[in-house]
Amino acid sequence: MKKAALNGTVLAWEESGTGPAVLLVHGLSETHASWRYQRDLFSQRFRVIACDIRGFGESEPGEAAPRPEQYAHDLRALLIHLGVDRAAIVGFSMGGVIAQCFAIHHPEMTSALVIAASSSVVNRQAAEYFLERAKLAETQGLEAVRATTVSDAAACFVASSPEVVAAYRQLRRGA
């Protein structure tokens, strides 16, 4: 993992491949590692940058409020740091919301936008879910959140593949 102090925090990322830049933005309860299969494939033709957004994985939370706009500005700072003028932004779930914010606020740096399993806003139901998780962490600790996150992981797969589900559970536990 590479790290740099950017935008009032320390961001961590991995890079591979050469060619046009592709920035991969993970979802809630995930890290850059959730993109490992796509990263390996994409890096055969592209310069792939998979980061941990502020407060996830090896990136520090910093002082700023964790909002999609803040994450988008962090990603801009990362791309500038890496000397990337334009990138295809690929976001999954919460990463899709962040990717959309990036494209809206930084269209000059967006060559393409790919959104998977996401929405354009965090609606009331999603906000309640996130607040519920935060309250669980405050009252019962991170282990309680990890337990529910692990059970949610299995619901992310249509096909039953014990190895893939186990790897994804481990990934979400670590995030």
Side-chain angles (χ1 to χ4, degrees):
M1 289 289 313
K2 297 177 183 178
K3 295 183 182 183
L6 301 166
N7 223 24
T9 190
V10 173
L11 295 178
W13 73 94
E14 287 187 351
E15 279 184 85
S16 55
T18 59
V22 175
L23 176 62
L24 303 174
V25 188
H26 64 79
L28 183 69
S29 299
E30 297 179 351
T31 69
H32 74 283
S34 62
W35 294 105
R36 71 178 168 267
Y37 300 113
Q38 295 84 358
R39 188 185 62 228
D40 292 346
L41 181 65
F42 293 165
S43 18
Q44 295 172 19
R45 297 185 59 202
F46 302 98
R47 177 184 181 187
V48 178
I49 303 156
C51 68
D52 289 343
I53 61 172
R54 158 187 304 253
F56 289 81
E58 294 189 36
S59 289
E60 296 178 10
E63 296 295 322
R67 301 184 42 81
E69 294 82 6
Q70 179 62 54
Y71 295 134
H73 298 317
D74 291 346
L75 296 177
R76 176 185 180 273
L78 175 61
L79 291 178
I80 289 169
H81 174 76
L82 296 174
V84 175
D85 295 327
R86 290 174 58 81
I89 312 299
V90 181
F92 170 75
S93 189
M94 181 181 75
V97 175
I98 296 166
Q100 290 173 78
C101 283
F102 184 94
I104 289 167
H105 292 284
H106 311 292
E108 73 288 352
M109 295 184 76
T110 307
S111 62
L113 181 62
V114 179
I115 301 165
S118 188
S119 66
S120 60
V121 296
V122 178
N123 64 20
R124 184 172 34 109
Q125 181 182 2
E128 288 172 4
Y129 172 82
F130 298 138
L131 290 172
E132 202 174 278
R133 290 294 171 96
K135 186 175 182 179
L136 185 63
E138 288 173 3
T139 59
Q140 298 180 34
L142 286 178
E143 286 305 316
V145 175
R146 283 189 182 112
T148 58
T149 297
V150 167
S151 66
D152 289 349
C156 294
F157 297 94
V158 175
S160 174
S161 171
E163 298 83 23
V164 173
V165 172
Y168 191 64
R169 283 181 174 167
Q170 184 61 35
L171 169 90
R172 292 189 72 168
R173 223 182 263 128

